[in-house]
Amino acid sequence: MIKWNEGREAKEKYESHEFEFGVKDLTLITKYINESAIDIRDLEEKQLDFCCQCEREGHIQFNPFSMDDVIPLVDAVKAASQKRIQDRFPIPITLNEWRTINQIDNEEIQRLLFVMLVVAKYFHILIKRYDLSYTTDYRVDMSDAKIRKLAKVKLHRDSVASRTNYRGWLRDNGYIRLSGRNQIYVLFAEDSGEVIETVTDYDHMDLHFDRINGESIGTCEKCGQLFRQNKQNNQRLCSDCRGYKKAEPRNCKCLDCGKTFIRMSNNRRKVRCDKCAEEHKKMLKRERNAKYRGLKD
């Protein structure tokens, strides 16, 4: 299964400290930490500090002196040191591929086949980038439910693209090949050709499809997400980036003890954790009292 938002998922797990203590989640978090790590030793120390902090806060059970807890950590660091956060590289769609899809007279099947093509080309690029031991064919490594969701196609009983027959129809007409385990392979994908569209927003493949069809689709100047343009065709930002956005809480380092604490968006002057802030407050009070006694004397 493709993790279209691996960076976002890693960030959420890292900042919330809510994850399963296993190699899968640990590797994802370690890859996120690795973005700023200098070397493998630095990465090990950062991951160890992170797990110890999560253990102190009660999110996980972790003992740095137990081999059962350390081994998954070591395996995650080893795996994360060899790979980075999965990036969203652009997927080119050629004119010949689009003409093949456009031959179908049913828009629902067109949308489903377009998503299959993008997913198959995504894995084809991924395999070549990381020298993975997969077939060189254009394989669609994604479930039916996920394909329908990305294509924004809701299937119903009387639809040509119903759940029971749309893949069989595409197979019988030579668009895809189905393996013995019902694995999908796209037959008309190509490595080169005249590019008419480059898919970059994986979450909105339906809008890429509509843009090829000539609809007015804009690209957000801030986040790069696609959105439907208004009648005036003058919007520059998507709905998520337009208007006021409340700042989110941030992880900050205490000025005195160096520990990490969460600072709310409405308290930007806070530079110390609660414990150090209380000690600093008492110190200022003692200084004021001493100054007052000196003036009184």
Side-chain angles (χ1 to χ4, degrees):
M1 177 65 70
I2 294 178
K3 291 186 178 297
W4 301 114
N5 300 303
E6 193 174 60
R8 186 191 307 169
E9 181 185 0
K11 182 180 179 181
E12 290 175 354
K13 290 181 182 294
Y14 177 78
E15 293 182 350
S16 66
H17 295 178
E18 296 180 1
F19 62 96
E20 294 183 5
F21 190 83
V23 177
K24 182 180 178 181
D25 279 1
L26 283 173
T27 301
L28 184 63
I29 292 172
T30 309
K31 284 198 291 185
Y32 180 77
I33 296 175
N34 193 25
E35 298 292 333
S36 58
I38 299 173
D39 54 33
I40 187 66
R41 185 175 180 180
D42 185 36
L43 180 60
E44 291 174 351
E45 292 176 355
K46 287 189 175 184
Q47 179 65 311
L48 181 63
D49 292 342
F50 172 76
C51 289
C52 289
Q53 181 181 356
C54 292
E55 195 277 333
R56 287 194 299 269
E57 295 176 358
H59 293 279
I60 60 172
Q61 295 293 326
F62 173 71
N63 183 3
F65 302 102
S66 171
M67 288 302 297
D68 292 337
D69 290 352
V70 172
I71 288 177
L73 186 66
V74 173
D75 292 341
V77 171
K78 182 179 178 181
S81 63
Q82 299 172 354
K83 288 185 179 181
R84 299 183 65 84
I85 291 291
Q86 192 167 290
D87 56 349
R88 292 189 169 206
F89 38 81
I91 310 295
I93 304 299
T94 66
L95 180 60
N96 290 334
E97 291 170 340
W98 177 247
R99 285 174 176 171
T100 302
I101 294 174
N102 226 16
Q103 292 174 356
I104 303 173
D105 59 0
N106 183 279
E107 185 178 334
E108 290 181 342
I109 298 183
Q110 284 183 5
R111 292 180 179 275
L112 291 165
L113 188 57
F114 179 78
V115 171
M116 289 182 187
L117 175 64
V118 174
V119 174
K121 297 193 78 170
Y122 176 92
F123 273 107
H124 193 69
I125 296 174
L126 198 65
I127 289 168
K128 291 192 295 185
R129 279 196 172 195
Y130 298 110
D131 296 325
L132 302 179
S133 57
Y134 287 105
T135 176
T136 56
D137 295 334
Y138 287 88
R139 183 164 62 95
V140 183
D141 192 4
M142 182 173 284
S143 65
D144 267 357
K146 185 68 173 179
I147 291 172
R148 295 194 299 270
K149 184 177 180 180
L150 290 173
K152 300 294 192 296
V153 171
K154 294 183 178 180
L155 304 181
H156 48 87
R157 183 177 299 176
D158 298 328
S159 171
V160 178
S162 64
R163 180 178 301 178
T164 56
N165 70 3
Y166 88 89
R167 289 184 302 171
W169 187 92
L170 289 172
R171 178 200 58 201
D172 295 340
N173 287 272
Y175 294 100
I176 64 173
R177 173 171 59 87
L178 297 178
S179 68
R181 295 184 177 181
N182 225 19
Q183 180 67 61
I184 302 173
Y185 294 89
V186 177
L187 299 179
F188 62 95
E190 57 183 13
D191 287 329
S192 60
E194 182 184 347
V195 178
I196 61 171
E197 178 74 4
T198 302
V199 178
T200 54
D201 188 353
Y202 299 165
D203 298 315
H204 297 91
M205 293 189 196
D206 59 313
L207 297 184
H208 280 288
F209 178 91
D210 292 337
R211 186 160 68 179
I212 303 178
N213 266 331
E215 295 189 22
S216 182
I217 305 297
T219 304
C220 180
E221 295 180 358
K222 187 175 181 180
C223 67
Q225 179 175 284
L226 298 187
F227 63 91
R228 296 192 183 278
Q229 275 285 5
N230 57 10
K231 293 181 179 180
Q232 293 75 28
N233 199 31
N234 59 2
Q235 288 184 352
R236 298 184 301 170
L237 302 176
C238 65
S239 58
D240 293 336
C241 296
R242 291 196 296 267
Y244 170 76
K245 295 294 179 182
K246 185 178 179 180
E248 297 181 355
R250 297 180 56 187
N251 289 334
C252 300
K253 184 174 290 188
C254 179
L255 189 64
D256 293 339
C257 67
K259 292 183 179 179
T260 302
F261 68 93
I262 298 177
R263 185 176 69 186
M264 304 305 293
S265 59
N266 59 352
N267 191 10
R268 297 185 178 182
R269 298 178 63 182
K270 185 175 181 180
V271 294
R272 295 175 174 84
C273 64
D274 293 338
K275 183 178 179 180
C276 293
E278 186 66 25
E279 292 294 330
H280 184 69
K281 183 178 178 180
K282 292 179 179 178
M283 182 194 71
L284 293 178
K285 186 176 181 180
R286 289 194 296 268
E287 290 179 352
R288 287 196 301 269
N289 291 339
K291 184 178 180 180
Y292 176 76
R293 288 193 296 268
L295 292 174
K296 190 175 182 180
D297 295 338

